[in-house]
Amino acid sequence: MRRDGGNRLLTVEEVAEWLRVSEATVRNKYRRWGIKPQKVGRLLRFRERDIANYLERNYG
């Protein structure tokens, strides 16, 4: 993962691995964290830059 983020779409599994939380935690808390998902069909995807921005805002 790039530290500054990019436009790459990440799966719930990739986000969970990056944040070191469970996939269920990502699915249940992304709204509370203020991370906007991108829907691909029925699947949730997250922009790498949105995750990087979340980390910077909260833990930067």
Side-chain angles (χ1 to χ4, degrees), residues 7-27:
N7 285 324
R8 184 170 161 245
L9 291 177
L10 304 174
T11 64
V12 171
E13 180 181 9
E14 290 172 316
V15 173
E17 185 178 308
W18 192 5
L19 299 178
R20 290 185 167 78
V21 297
S22 71
E23 291 178 39
T25 298
V26 173
R27 284 190 193 96

Side-chain angles (χ1 to χ4, degrees), residues 30-55:
Y30 71 87
R31 287 182 192 98
R32 187 178 314 164
W33 293 340
I35 300 172
K36 183 180 176 190
Q38 304 295 315
K39 294 282 276 193
V40 178
R42 297 180 343 191
L43 304 173
L44 286 178
R45 296 290 186 262
F46 299 91
R47 292 206 185 276
E48 190 175 28
R49 69 173 181 232
D50 293 340
I51 304 303
N53 288 339
Y54 164 76
L55 290 172

